[in-house]
Amino acid sequence: MRKKANNNLFNKGLLLVFCFYNGLIIQGHAQSKSFIKYVQPFSGTSASTTLASQHIEDKTERLANTIPAVAPPFSMTQWTPQTQLSEKKCLAPYYYNNKKFYGIRASHWISGSCTQDYGSFTIMPISGKLKTSAADYAADYTHAGEVATPAYYKTSLPRYNLLTEATASLRCGLIKVTALKADSVYLLITPNSDQAKGYIKIDRQKGEISGYNPVHRIYQGWGQPAGFSGYFFIRVSKVFTTSGVFNGARVSANQSIKNQKDLGAYLGFKLQKGETIRIYAGTSFTSIAAAKLNLETEINNAALATIVDRTNQVWERSLGQIKVNDPNEKNKRIFYTALYHAQQHPRLFNDVDGGYPQFAGDYTRKTLKKGNYYDDFSMWDTYRAQLPLVELLKPNLANDFANSLVLKGQQGGWLPIFPCWNNYTAAMIGDHATAFIASAYNKGIRGYDVKEAYRLMRQNAFQMPDSAQYLNGKGRRGINSYLKYGYIPMEDSIPDAFHKREQVSRTLEYAYDDYALATVAKDLGKTSDYKQLMKRASNYKNVFDQQEGMVKGRFANGSWYKPFYPDHREPYITEGTPRQYTFYVPHDIPGLIKLMGGEKILENELDSLFAKKEYWHGNEPGHQIPFLYNYTDSPWKTQLEVSRILAEEYSEGAGGLSGNDDAGQMSAWYVFAALGFYPVDPVSENYQLTSPLFKQAVISFNNGKKLAIKTIRKSKKSIYSSKITLNGKSLTKNQITHQSLVHGGELIFYLQDEPNKP
């Protein structure tokens, strides 16, 4: 019945009045959309329906937690339909199968995460009588007539006979509301504070609304002010006849309200059928005045179609850096959706004039001299593939990322471990800002203060902060134990962290970070540091029990933790099992092979992992595992397993991702693997090769060079490599260097149906 009613409304109202109009805005651009048409913004917004996800019993692990974000790549603010209230941790503002629509949210949700939204606000159009309680004004959410692209969103609200459209620039949004019949129309503007904080003010004379939603920390410093707010400045195109403020269902004629639960402002209009309201919204993390300047600079009074076209063009250029040619349209949709998801974060944090909130500051504004400042670095995840993808495609942007991390370290005193909401968090484990900076440095990305970068990375690796700073989230968790024993013993439970214990995983990841820093130390002539760090890079051996052939918990006296369950979640392992984490030695696979007893043992252990279905693609520490067969006599098994993962762990539609996308890491894995190479150790500049998914792909680099990747298959089912050539020369190893890729040319994979077995 509801579907029939919606169709009637659509036919009588939307088609008659607006079909031609929307054709001009959207369909008029269709011919120029070579790549954006493949993007599915709803992918990952409901429980996974991929083949691999069906054996996962915990349904929460089947949520990718992405949103249908409307914004250019790496924007300050993403604009999304809102089907979920609050900024609560692990609760995305949008889920595809939710039944209620609460407006368009200006969101700072970290795509594919289990963190928090922050500093957001929502604009909801309604008609008829004024309603200010979310339970009262929520509209039934239907996908009928809905359109979602990276540059544009449209939905009709049958309850209110309103058509709502949205588009965005880097820091601003434009929402257009059209009446499908004559009625009273209201705009509800709500800062989304869960803390009963915030402020909103109406200037009736100027037709402007402004306010802010204070940001609070989670993890270390949970609940404390983050030192900045999400500010907004809104201008509407039509004079409103009435206005006021509210908190929940309580309405007031006052024109401002502050620090009340469920606070907001309403604007009232009288609209005839076909009349529109354009809502121009600027955002900032420094001030209302800056939000206004951002709006005036980026959008001003531009038409919706103009901004849609601009943002389309930005995405076309960005997605078009990789041109895929293949008859399989489904795989192209999955690929370009992955490339879209891999370009959401880190988040732009500075205003158009260079102003940004000081890291871990107290509402202090800093100004950049050049470049842009970024935050929301999901570092436990993205250093593996998402940030290396940026280094490959957009090295200038990667340089801004590295410079932003250095600025954070200078302003806060310590290089942050996992900087989000512009503050220290100490979330997750490892010290992977070091891994990323080292990776960028080794690829020649060095347009930041290298000496300061090294000083800050070294400080994390060699020093323990004082107790107050440590409690605030600065420094490596458990660093004193790590330096004393060469591993973190079971006695150190890491009490001052969100992730407590997890001693073995921390040891393994710190060993990788020590190796990463060692590569920079060597290049800078820091010989003593280099020797110490390279010795520490072997600390993974201290938690490897050769009798078991796996990593295990270990006490300070050297004895091993018992009992040992290799395939169970153990307290000394982060989000995984000892068997899974044993393979996390990306910088020294030959050393791991020696510990295990030879290449054949490594191969057998990999075989066992996959046979037991212990490989878990939905979490990052295992993302390098399928490529480790390249270090054995059976690299064809890498080609087999990667091909299987591409087919089983990714699909299309709202359930198209198997697990949390984690700021684009899951998606970046797909992009790399589908192209035929992956950075098992991104610090090393080497990529492990596998079989490409597509017939042809052309990568355009910012140095003007292009790399054509061609796949010549013996038959449609061919996935095994018989020969790989780069510019006519055969590659004798199963790897390729970063410089070889960006130099350009032609990389050809010759594939056959059966593997070349030793």
Side-chain angles (χ1 to χ4, degrees):
M1 293 294 293
R2 183 172 61 187
K3 182 176 180 180
K4 182 177 181 180
N6 289 341
N7 286 339
N8 287 338
L9 173 64
F10 185 86
N11 291 333
K12 293 179 180 179
L14 187 60
L15 279 178
L16 289 175
V17 181
F18 301 107
C19 187
F20 175 70
Y21 168 74
N22 284 321
L24 291 177
I25 291 181
I26 304 301
Q27 297 173 10
H29 299 285
Q31 292 183 348
S32 64
K33 292 181 183 179
S34 299
F35 308 104
I36 202 172
K37 67 181 180 181
Y38 290 110
V39 176
Q40 297 184 326
F42 291 124
S43 179
T45 61
S46 72
S48 178
T49 56
T50 64
L51 182 62
S53 71
Q54 300 312 299
H55 70 275
I56 299 176
E57 295 181 5
D58 185 349
K59 292 184 178 181
T60 62
E61 292 180 354
R62 293 173 58 186
L63 289 170
N65 273 351
T66 59
I67 60 174
V70 175
F74 307 102
S75 292
M76 174 179 285
T77 303
Q78 283 86 28
W79 302 78
T80 178
Q82 177 178 293
T83 65
Q84 187 70 58
L85 298 172
S86 97
E87 292 183 335
K88 184 178 179 181
K89 181 181 182 290
C90 292
L91 197 63
Y94 178 89
Y95 293 100
Y96 188 82
N97 293 321
N98 282 3
K99 304 301 182 183
K100 294 295 181 181
F101 177 90
Y102 298 96
I104 303 294
R105 183 187 288 198
S107 175
H108 305 119
W109 175 254
I110 299 176
S111 178
S113 74
C114 185
T115 57
Q116 63 175 355
D117 204 345
Y118 63 88
S120 72
F121 67 94
T122 300
I123 299 173
M124 174 66 179
I126 65 173
S127 64
K129 293 183 178 181
L130 176 64
K131 295 171 285 290
T132 60
S133 171
D136 294 332
Y137 67 68
D140 290 338
Y141 179 47
T142 172
H143 297 292
E146 189 178 37
V147 174
T149 80
Y152 174 80
Y153 177 78
K154 178 185 72 172
T155 189
S156 59
L157 304 178
R159 176 182 178 183
Y160 296 120
N161 289 291
L162 296 174
L163 177 71
T164 301
E165 302 167 274
T167 188
S169 62
L170 281 169
R171 302 168 179 88
C172 307
L174 172 53
I175 299 172
K176 186 173 184 178
V177 177
T178 306
L180 300 180
K181 75 170 188 177
D183 206 344
S184 297
V185 173
Y186 296 91
L187 298 178
L188 308 178
I189 304 166
T190 55
N192 298 315
S193 174
D194 290 330
Q195 312 281 337
K197 301 290 185 181
Y199 171 76
I200 194 164
K201 177 184 177 181
I202 304 165
D203 188 328
R204 294 190 63 172
Q205 186 175 358
K206 295 182 179 179
E208 298 172 350
I209 305 90
S210 58
Y212 58 81
N213 178 0
V215 180
H216 293 80
R217 299 169 66 183
I218 65 172
Y219 304 126
Q220 298 301 108
W222 199 304
Q224 297 174 4
F228 69 102
S229 297
Y231 298 93
F232 56 88
F233 173 84
I234 297 170
R235 187 179 65 244
V236 294
S237 64
K238 191 174 183 62
V239 176
F240 41 91
T241 57
T242 184
S243 63
V245 296
F246 59 87
N247 60 302
R250 298 178 182 178
V251 177
S252 168
N254 294 335
Q255 299 299 290
S256 66
I257 188 171
K258 185 176 183 179
N259 295 345
Q260 298 288 323
K261 182 176 173 58
D262 299 328
L263 68 85
Y266 68 88
L267 314 176
F269 307 82
K270 292 287 187 180
L271 295 188
Q272 298 301 311
K273 183 178 180 181
E275 279 195 284
T276 64
I277 307 169
R278 295 188 306 279
I279 304 110
Y280 296 89
T283 69
S284 170
F285 292 128
T286 64
S287 69
I288 291 170
K292 181 178 181 180
L293 178 62
N294 291 340
L295 178 62
E296 291 173 343
T297 304
E298 291 187 354
I299 293 182
N300 200 14
N301 295 312
L304 183 83
T306 300
I307 305 304
V308 172
D309 186 63
R310 288 178 190 170
T311 307
N312 269 334
Q313 290 181 39
V314 171
W315 273 111
E316 282 296 315
R317 288 192 297 270
S318 192
L319 296 170
Q321 277 197 265
I322 306 177
K323 295 180 173 65
V324 168
N325 179 19
D326 196 86
N328 190 316
E329 293 290 288
K330 176 183 176 181
N331 286 345
K332 286 160 75 172
R333 287 191 291 271
I334 297 171
F335 180 85
Y336 284 109
T337 299
L339 195 53
Y340 157 75
H341 280 144
Q343 297 184 70
Q344 301 296 314
H345 306 291
R347 181 184 311 286
L348 178 67
F349 242 71
N350 63 281
D351 303 315
V352 293
D353 63 358
Y356 67 96
Q358 176 179 309
F359 182 73
D362 185 15
Y363 292 88
T364 300
R365 191 175 193 261
K366 295 286 187 178
T367 304
L368 288 165
K369 294 181 180 179
K370 62 178 180 179
N372 287 307
Y373 176 79
Y374 292 85
D375 195 62
D376 287 350
F377 287 83
S378 184
M379 270 305 182
W380 190 66
D381 316 289
T382 57
Y383 81 94
R384 306 168 195 269
Q386 189 263 342
L387 289 172
L389 185 62
V390 175
E391 293 168 357
L392 184 69
L393 298 177
K394 305 176 190 295
N396 292 339
L397 184 60
N399 188 84
D400 278 355
F401 293 170
N403 187 55
S404 297
L405 290 168
V406 173
L407 289 173
K408 295 176 198 300
Q410 290 177 314
Q411 292 167 13
W414 290 77
L415 188 67
I417 299 296
F418 193 99
C420 292
W421 37 98
N422 206 41
N423 218 304
Y424 291 98
T425 67
M428 300 307 298
I429 65 171
D431 183 15
H432 301 317
T434 292
F436 164 63
I437 293 174
S439 175
Y441 179 88
N442 290 335
K443 295 180 176 73
I445 300 170
R446 303 178 183 180
Y448 45 90
D449 191 330
V450 171
K451 290 183 179 179
E452 273 293 275
Y454 185 79
R455 180 185 70 81
L456 290 163
M457 291 187 290
R458 188 188 189 283
Q459 179 178 254
N460 274 18
F462 285 91
Q463 297 180 35
M464 172 75 174
D466 64 38
S467 57
Q469 293 185 96
Y470 187 74
L471 285 171
N472 196 38
K474 300 178 183 181
R476 293 186 182 183
R477 307 291 96 177
I479 182 66
N480 280 346
S481 292
Y482 180 77
L483 293 177
K484 181 178 180 179
Y485 297 100
Y487 62 96
I488 302 178
M490 296 300 294
E491 288 90 342
D492 188 348
S493 64
I494 318 291
D496 298 316
F498 180 72
H499 275 243
K500 305 183 191 312
R501 299 180 295 275
E502 304 179 359
Q503 298 92 336
V504 169
S505 294
R506 291 179 193 277
T507 298
L508 294 169
E509 298 204 17
Y510 287 162
Y512 181 75
D513 297 322
D514 288 340
Y515 148 78
L517 183 55
T519 66
V520 182
K522 182 179 182 180
D523 193 72
L524 294 178
K526 310 284 187 181
T527 304
S528 177
D529 284 358
Y530 169 72
K531 290 180 179 179
Q532 289 184 69
L533 289 163
M534 282 306 295
K535 182 179 180 181
R536 285 165 48 176
S538 294
N539 281 348
Y540 71 90
K541 298 176 182 178
N542 297 333
V543 290
F544 187 94
D545 182 353
Q546 288 187 282
Q547 184 174 345
E548 297 287 356
M550 295 184 197
V551 295
K552 289 175 60 177
R554 196 171 193 180
F555 293 99
N557 64 6
S559 63
W560 298 103
Y561 179 87
K562 294 180 180 179
F564 179 56
Y565 299 111
D567 299 319
H568 290 185
R569 299 287 187 92
E570 293 296 302
Y572 51 81
I573 296 293
T574 301
E575 298 182 7
T577 67
R579 186 184 301 277
Q580 292 164 347
Y581 242 101
T582 292
F583 300 102
Y584 183 81
V585 190
H587 59 295
D588 189 17
I589 301 302
L592 178 63
I593 288 171
K594 187 175 180 180
L595 277 181
M596 284 185 163
E599 290 182 5
K600 190 60 181 177
I601 302 298
L602 172 63
E603 182 181 346
N604 291 342
E605 289 298 323
L606 291 168
D607 288 346
S608 176
L609 182 83
F610 287 107
K612 291 172 177 285
K613 298 190 181 298
E614 281 289 308
Y615 176 73
W616 182 19
H617 193 69
N619 214 10
E620 283 72 22
H623 276 187
Q624 79 285 354
I625 290 176
F627 299 91
L628 299 189
Y629 282 115
N630 276 3
Y631 296 86
T632 74
D633 287 334
S634 301
W636 62 271
K637 292 183 179 179
T638 281
Q639 298 150 26
L640 174 66
E641 293 299 339
V642 170
S643 296
R644 180 189 61 78
I645 293 167
L646 286 170
E648 294 182 3
E649 298 278 1
Y650 300 84
S651 189
E652 56 182 346
L657 286 168
S658 284
N660 277 187
D661 196 41
D662 285 321
Q665 167 59 26
M666 282 275 290
S667 291
W669 191 98
Y670 187 94
V671 172
F672 272 121
L675 291 174
F677 53 94
Y678 184 82
V680 166
D681 172 16
V683 170
S684 72
E685 304 179 74
N686 293 322
Y687 302 85
Q688 294 301 313
L689 294 169
T690 187
S691 303
L693 183 64
F694 299 109
K695 181 179 180 181
Q696 180 172 320
V698 178
I699 307 175
S700 298
F701 301 107
N702 77 328
N703 62 3
K705 301 292 182 65
K706 294 185 178 182
L707 177 71
I709 303 172
K710 297 182 180 179
T711 306
I712 299 176
R713 300 179 190 272
K714 188 174 182 181
S715 73
K716 289 183 178 181
K717 65 178 183 179
S718 297
I719 62 169
Y720 300 107
S721 173
S722 61
K723 183 174 68 171
I724 305 171
T725 64
L726 176 63
N727 298 325
K729 296 182 179 180
S730 293
L731 298 178
T732 57
K733 295 183 178 180
N734 297 302
Q735 66 181 30
I736 191 169
T737 67
H738 183 82
Q739 290 304 317
S740 295
L741 291 175
V742 300
H743 186 71
E746 190 174 61
L747 180 64
I748 302 179
F749 293 79
Y750 297 86
L751 304 184
Q752 58 192 21
D753 297 350
E754 299 294 332
N756 289 324
K757 297 182 179 180

